[in-house]
Amino acid sequence: MRFRHPDGSTVHLAYCTNVHPAETLDGVLAQLRDHCEPVRRRLGRDRLGIGLWLARDAAHSLITDPVSLRALRAELDHRGLEVVTLNGFPYDGFGAEEVKYRVYQPDWTRPERLAHTTDLARLLAALLPDDITDGSVSTLPLAWRTPFDSHAADTARAALTTLAERLDALEELTGKSVRIGLEPEPGCTVETTADAIAPLTAVSSPRIGVCVDTCHLATSFEDPRTALDDLAAAGIPVVKSQLSAALHAEHPHLPEVRAALASFAEPRFLHQTRTSTATGLRGTDDLPEALAGRSLPDGAPWRAHFHVPLHAPPAPPLTSTLSVLQDTLGLLVGGPRPRTHHLEVETYTWQALPAARRPRNRARLADGIAAELTLARDLLTDLGLKELP
């Protein structure tokens, strides 16, 4: 979906396809048919943006077979879909029964991560619509926090510097500009936007910036204005933003609140849990760990890294951090000029929701994704952006 900002530039809104497990090119093509096109039809749109997730096997198939790449581009056009951004965070196995820590491998200390991200940039340059010259790829924030020492930091910085050089060469070759955004996430060596400033300043390339995920921002209790202003002051671009909402528990000491939180403690994904205290941020790597004992103070609100549907917050006594998303979105695109032009709804946890809240079939899932995009669209038009055909 495209929107005209009051400054005349185009802002893109997509939804991320990592909610649909697919490791192969055939799986990606099935996604377009079974999920993405039905969402577009529900919205009554001739064209829908998708934030495509290409697992390593699918990306390798496309990068080594130009015929397959042309066929994918043709399939996108046929189904009324367009791609200006890719989710390059998960490498593979994102649809597995247990993902947890494996989603952070390979990290930016490993040559496989550089090779895969380079491939994604090249693929995106080929998939961009003819009238669009700028693309974005989000990626993991260097690595999980342990083990990560000074040698690892140097290795990751060198890989990003090499990537920036390759992106420069890609634009010279294709005329398409692709930028990469590190996505701060709780538990990683870059947990917050503040953590991103030093390593990205060291890389010092306009090609490498930040992907602001509003669920992660909220989980870490970051103030959106401070976060975005500090990035701007450091000259670090917001390459894209993922519009998502975290799980919020206002009174985690209450038994009924803990019982409600327990229904979201599931085995597939990590749900890092945080609370803000007088001495700083405290947290656990997963929600079950927070609920199991006294490792996390419960005298102040808890937030858990669980992407809850934007339009359907959990029932009381829980809620979501949709207000953080709204505040962030206003700061990103509500001013005289957009701080980013790429927005992506990313609720990948539909099938990890408590059983009673999971969509029972593909049609219900498409209904939910369309409802999220409708909410995001309304937020954008309320900010003065005009929806384009």
Side-chain angles (χ1 to χ4, degrees), residues 16-20 22-23 51-59 86-96 99-108 112-113 116-117 120 137-141 183 185 216 240 242 269 344 346 348:
C16 185
T17 65
N18 63 354
V19 62
H20 312 303
E23 299 289 320
L52 198 60
W53 174 56
L54 297 173
R56 178 57 205 153
D57 286 350
L86 300 179
N87 188 329
F89 196 133
Y91 184 82
D92 59 11
F94 201 60
V99 179
K100 300 288 185 182
Y101 293 95
R102 66 176 289 181
V103 75
Y104 306 106
Q105 295 296 330
D107 62 29
W108 276 100
E112 302 98 298
R113 177 60 66 173
H116 178 56
T117 309
L120 292 179
V137 181
S138 49
T139 188
L140 81 161
E183 182 183 333
E185 176 165 311
H216 303 172
K240 66 186 279 190
Q242 288 172 326
F269 301 110
E344 178 184 73
E346 194 212 16
Y348 60 83

Side-chain angles (χ1 to χ4, degrees), residues 266-279:
E266 54 82 39
R268 179 176 294 181
F269 301 110
L270 278 185
H271 300 297
Q272 301 93 317
T273 305
R274 299 289 186 267
T275 187
S276 182
T277 73
T279 58

Side-chain angles (χ1 to χ4, degrees), residues 10 21 28 71 91 130 141 177 179 204 250 254 276-277 279 295-296 320 332-333 346 353-354 356-357 359 385:
T10 299
V28 171
Y91 184 82
D130 291 338
S177 174
R179 297 190 297 171
S204 187
E250 186 69 18
L254 296 177
S276 182
T277 73
T279 58
S295 59
L296 195 61
S320 80
L332 285 170
V333 300
E346 194 212 16
L353 289 167
R357 298 176 61 86
L385 282 75

Side-chain angles (χ1 to χ4, degrees), residues 32 138 153 166 207 225 229 259-260 293 307 311 323 331 357 372:
L32 306 184
S138 49
R166 292 177 179 179
R207 301 283 185 192
R225 182 176 296 278
D229 286 353
H307 290 221
H311 69 293
S323 62
L331 294 166
R357 298 176 61 86
E372 288 193 291

Side-chain angles (χ1 to χ4, degrees), residues 353-378:
L353 289 167
R357 298 176 61 86
R358 294 174 196 166
R360 295 191 297 271
N361 51 47
R362 288 204 302 254
R364 291 292 181 88
L365 177 59
D367 289 342
I369 293 170
E372 288 193 291
L373 285 167
T374 298
L375 183 150
R377 178 185 64 193
D378 291 346

Side-chain angles (χ1 to χ4, degrees), residues 40-52:
R40 178 183 65 77
R41 293 185 181 278
R42 278 163 171 76
L43 292 167
R45 301 281 307 178
D46 293 331
R47 174 175 54 191
L48 176 68
I50 58 172
L52 198 60

Side-chain angles (χ1 to χ4, degrees), residues 3-37:
F3 296 81
R4 181 72 66 205
H5 189 273
D7 78 340
S9 64
T10 299
V11 173
H12 297 267
L13 173 66
Y15 96 88
C16 185
T17 65
N18 63 354
V19 62
H20 312 303
E23 299 289 320
T24 66
L25 180 55
D26 286 344
V28 171
L29 295 173
Q31 282 180 351
L32 306 184
R33 179 191 68 229
D34 297 338
H35 299 288
C36 302
E37 186 176 9

